[in-house]
Amino acid sequence: MIIKDMLSQYKAKEYFILDSHQEAMYLQDEEHRHNDKDMESYAYNTKKYNQLKEGSFVLFRRPSKWTEDGLFSIYGGGIIESIKPEDDNGNVKAIIKDGFYFDYPIKQGDYDLESYDWETRKKPGPGWKGFWINYGMNRIEAADFWWLIGDRTGYLVKSACNNNDEIEKENFSIFDNQNNLRAENKDYKKLYWDQITSYMEANDIEYNTDGPGKTLFFTITGLESALNYAGCRIVFDILGFTVYAYSECKPNLGALNEMLKYLHMANYGLTRGNFEYDLRDGEIRVKNRYDVYYYQKISEELIEDSINSTIEVLDQYGNGIVALSLGFSTAEDEIKKVEGEGEEEEEEEQHSFNPEGYTVIEEDIPF
């Protein structure tokens, strides 16, 4: 589902980014338990911040101090359907409708996010200190909200106010009741594991494992490159999973420098994932990391893409790996074969950049 298409059905009154760390607080004892529930409700105090309005569009941000890697993430959002009356102390709860999770959360450190020029306020230097203010509730400009939404895909979670705290079954068949899972403090790794192994079995992919919720392995077949053998492993942790496509290559010392140079040059051109080389055993691998936030569903499309895109990169650069391991080529030559740098392509019309903002034909340039 494209998130902006769903949100475009409504007219927003305001736009907000709300800090959320409710899983950590929800698991506390009842007396100190927080009333937030991801994509369902948001609790706050009107005496500290009272700008939230019914009909506002919101995004949820997990602060860095509540993430394992120390990087904040914007992982979903929804629409403020209603705000319940406040109690004597000013505590209120906003009810969320059409709550959604992003398939790919926005992470601190993402190039586009770090280089974005905000309209809400200027980002204070290269870091984020001082940018997120106001009691964890930040009103943002419409342009910033829609830039963050972009063409991102995701899936809906039904609101607690009309679904008795259950996640939409057709989108999240594995998890029937969020409250029970939170209360029991389930192992998230096992939950992610169940979704991916179900996909593997449904698609007749044979795999081995070192135990539920840990790592699964399978052999890669059908490679187009000259690699003799390649495998794939998926490693799980509490925040998601990492996909590795790997092969073994032990070039002699004379060829090792060219191999390392080749992998470094390959990494420079990659938009997803990266190459790693283990000097101890000669393993060359492509790594792709995927974060999954708490009860987020891992869609079949995401699982398939995470595996295939990682394998494709290894296969794409595989011939160069083999050639360099045998000392038959150079890093520059093999990169040119893969990425086409320096190759002359035959085109009917050659174009060049024009500073006026349009494209001109080479033959029309008077020099």
Side-chain angles (χ1 to χ4, degrees):
M1 177 186 72
I2 299 177
I3 300 298
K4 71 177 180 182
D5 291 345
M6 181 275 292
L7 292 175
S8 296
Q9 304 174 62
Y10 306 97
K11 184 177 180 180
K13 290 187 177 180
E14 299 280 359
Y15 302 88
F16 292 85
I17 295 178
L18 306 177
D19 284 0
S20 175
H21 49 81
Q22 54 267 32
E23 274 71 20
M25 300 191 72
Y26 193 87
L27 292 172
Q28 295 185 30
D29 60 84
E30 187 171 356
E31 182 181 352
H32 298 92
R33 187 172 293 170
H34 206 273
N35 287 319
D36 290 0
K37 294 182 182 178
D38 261 344
M39 316 311 167
E40 296 183 6
S41 63
Y42 191 84
Y44 62 100
N45 190 286
T46 59
K47 296 179 181 179
K48 295 182 178 180
Y49 192 81
N50 194 27
Q51 294 190 30
L52 210 57
K53 298 180 176 66
E54 293 180 356
S56 297
F57 288 8
V58 300
L59 292 171
F60 288 106
R61 184 182 80 101
R62 190 81 68 206
S64 58
K65 66 180 179 180
W66 290 105
T67 62
E68 190 170 289
D69 60 5
L71 302 173
F72 72 75
S73 66
I74 300 171
Y75 57 95
I79 301 170
I80 302 297
E81 181 176 56
S82 62
I83 300 176
K84 293 187 175 182
E86 64 183 85
D87 63 17
D88 294 340
N89 297 316
N91 297 314
V92 297
K93 183 164 68 172
I95 302 300
I96 310 296
K97 72 173 182 179
D98 290 330
F100 60 85
Y101 285 100
F102 290 129
D103 284 331
Y104 298 93
I106 304 167
K107 292 273 293 183
Q108 179 183 354
D110 290 350
Y111 176 79
D112 289 344
L113 179 63
E114 296 294 336
S115 59
Y116 177 62
D117 187 13
W118 291 76
E119 291 194 12
T120 301
R121 68 180 66 90
K122 289 294 182 182
K123 186 167 169 279
W128 291 90
K129 186 177 181 180
F131 186 81
W132 307 109
I133 57 176
N134 293 329
Y135 183 52
M137 305 171 70
N138 288 262
R139 190 188 70 80
I140 62 172
E141 297 296 328
D144 294 336
F145 179 90
W146 290 113
W147 180 85
L148 290 166
I149 292 292
D151 293 321
R152 295 182 182 278
T153 59
Y155 61 94
L156 285 173
V157 175
K158 285 187 177 179
S159 172
C161 64
N162 58 21
N163 195 42
N164 298 320
D165 291 346
E166 291 186 3
I167 296 179
E168 189 174 2
K169 293 280 193 296
E170 62 181 284
N171 283 335
F172 212 160
S173 59
I174 290 179
F175 310 130
D176 291 330
N177 191 304
Q178 292 191 76
N179 291 341
N180 287 341
L181 289 171
R182 287 188 180 115
E184 295 170 12
N185 196 12
K186 292 285 187 179
D187 184 350
Y188 296 114
K189 293 187 290 184
K190 178 62 165 57
L191 300 178
Y192 309 152
W193 169 278
D194 288 342
Q195 294 177 84
I196 291 182
T197 53
S198 294
Y199 169 85
M200 304 284 282
E201 291 162 6
N203 289 273
D204 297 323
I205 302 175
E206 296 183 1
Y207 64 90
N208 295 313
T209 173
D210 61 358
K214 295 182 180 179
T215 306
L216 62 83
F217 316 82
F218 60 93
T219 301
I220 301 172
T221 59
L223 293 177
E224 296 182 0
S225 68
L227 290 170
N228 291 327
Y229 168 80
C232 184
R233 62 176 171 265
I234 304 177
V235 181
F236 296 81
D237 58 66
I238 193 171
L239 290 181
F241 63 99
T242 305
V243 180
Y244 297 93
Y246 59 91
S247 186
E248 289 188 6
C249 177
K250 295 181 179 180
N252 59 44
L253 291 178
L256 179 59
N257 286 340
E258 285 298 311
M259 177 67 73
L260 296 177
K261 185 177 181 181
Y262 176 65
L263 298 179
H264 179 76
M265 295 173 72
N267 280 339
Y268 184 80
L270 291 176
T271 57
R272 292 177 61 186
N274 64 279
F275 274 100
E276 296 179 338
Y277 184 79
D278 192 331
L279 291 170
R280 297 168 298 180
D281 58 14
E283 179 180 276
I284 293 177
R285 65 188 189 186
V286 179
K287 179 176 73 175
N288 258 325
R289 170 68 187 174
Y290 296 85
D291 288 330
V292 185
Y293 288 84
Y294 297 95
Y295 303 99
Q296 180 180 349
K297 176 195 173 184
I298 308 175
S299 66
E300 288 191 6
E301 292 80 7
L302 175 57
I303 297 171
E304 182 176 349
D305 177 69
S306 67
I307 296 172
N308 289 344
S309 62
T310 309
I311 294 173
E312 286 170 3
V313 172
L314 181 66
D315 198 22
Q316 181 183 12
Y317 289 86
N319 286 338
I321 292 172
V322 173
L324 290 170
S325 68
L326 298 174
F328 291 163
S329 186
T330 65
E332 288 85 355
D333 288 343
E334 294 304 317
I335 285 292
K336 288 178 182 178
K337 293 176 184 178
V338 176
E339 301 178 1
E341 295 180 6
E343 293 182 357
E344 295 184 0
E345 298 182 359
E346 294 184 2
E347 298 182 1
E348 293 182 2
E349 296 178 338
Q350 296 292 325
H351 296 79
S352 68
F353 171 73
N354 184 291
E356 297 297 326
Y358 52 85
T359 302
V360 297
I361 309 302
E362 289 280 11
E363 61 187 20
D364 294 336
I365 300 176
F367 52 86

